[in-house]
């Protein structure tokens, strides 16, 4: 026979349901914000890396009279350039598209002489451009 004590401590079923509901609501708000922060951090890092690489491309051209064929050619202009890799995860383009980074290295577009990440140049990355603000 099981004896029940009136002083037993614990949560009632209603308290547990309320607690789980509150945690669920907090997670429903926090997780998308966290994921968006990761996307924007990756985008900012890619932008900074591409800007650095584009600057090194121009310095290489100024000194040699020709454009580099690969990222490795920029070793004299960027310390440890071979260790410079895109972050893992997602990024955002200015047209609002969110993409998954598939390349493990930055590349150089030999026709446009710009650094690329996942086939996109520096000008492609960033927050979605808003149009229709104010009076025109």
């Amino acid at each position: 026979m099981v004896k029940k004590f009136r002083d037993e401590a614990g949560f009632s079923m209603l308290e547990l349901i309320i607690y789980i509901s509150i945690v669920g609501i907090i997670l429903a708000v926090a997780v998308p914000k966290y994921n968006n922060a990761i996307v924007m951090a990756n985008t900012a890092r890619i932008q900074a890396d591409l800007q650095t690489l584009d600057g090194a491309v121009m310095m290489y051209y100024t000194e040699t009279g020709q454009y580099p064929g690969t990222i490795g050619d920029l070793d004299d202009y960027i310390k440890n350039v071979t260790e410079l890799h895109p972050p893992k995860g997602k990024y955002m383009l200015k047209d609002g598209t969110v993409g998954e980074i598939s390349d493990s290295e930055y590349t150089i577009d030999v026709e446009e002489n710009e650094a690329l990440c996942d086939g996109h140049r520096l000008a492609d990355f960033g927050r979605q451009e808003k149009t229709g603000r104010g009076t025109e």
Side-chain angles (χ1 to χ4, degrees), residues 16-32:
L16 287 174
I17 290 172
I18 291 171
Y19 172 77
I20 291 170
S21 298
I22 290 170
V23 169
I25 291 169
I26 290 170
L27 287 176
V29 171
V31 169

Side-chain angles (χ1 to χ4, degrees), residues 4-136:
K4 292 190 175 187
F5 297 98
R6 293 185 186 250
D7 295 338
E8 283 187 53
F11 294 106
S12 71
M13 184 61 74
L14 181 60
E15 289 171 325
L16 287 174
I17 290 172
I18 291 171
Y19 172 77
I20 291 170
S21 298
I22 290 170
V23 169
I25 291 169
I26 290 170
L27 287 176
V29 171
V31 169
K33 295 239 183 238
Y34 174 77
N35 289 337
N36 188 47
I38 296 296
V39 169
M40 295 314 298
N42 285 344
T43 302
R45 178 172 167 201
I46 290 169
Q47 286 175 309
D49 289 350
L50 290 179
Q51 189 169 17
T52 300
L53 289 167
D54 285 344
V57 166
M58 293 312 299
M59 288 178 15
Y60 182 94
Y61 177 76
T62 301
E63 288 188 11
T64 66
Q66 58 188 3
Y67 288 101
T70 66
I71 294 294
D73 294 340
L74 302 174
D75 198 36
D76 291 339
Y77 305 92
I78 299 175
K79 185 177 181 181
N80 300 325
V81 72
T82 55
E83 296 174 19
L84 185 64
H85 302 290
K88 297 189 184 323
K90 297 182 178 184
Y91 59 82
M92 181 175 282
L93 299 176
K94 284 186 180 176
D95 65 4
T97 308
V98 174
E100 184 80 25
I101 298 170
S102 59
D103 288 350
S104 60
E105 294 182 355
Y106 294 107
T107 57
I108 292 182
D109 181 351
V110 292
E111 292 178 9
E112 298 293 327
N113 301 307
E114 291 181 288
L116 302 175
C117 178
D118 249 12
H120 300 286
R121 63 192 54 179
L122 175 60
D124 297 339
F125 290 95
R127 289 186 179 267
Q128 186 173 2
E129 294 177 354
K130 297 179 181 177
T131 58
R133 295 179 85 186
T135 58
E136 294 181 26

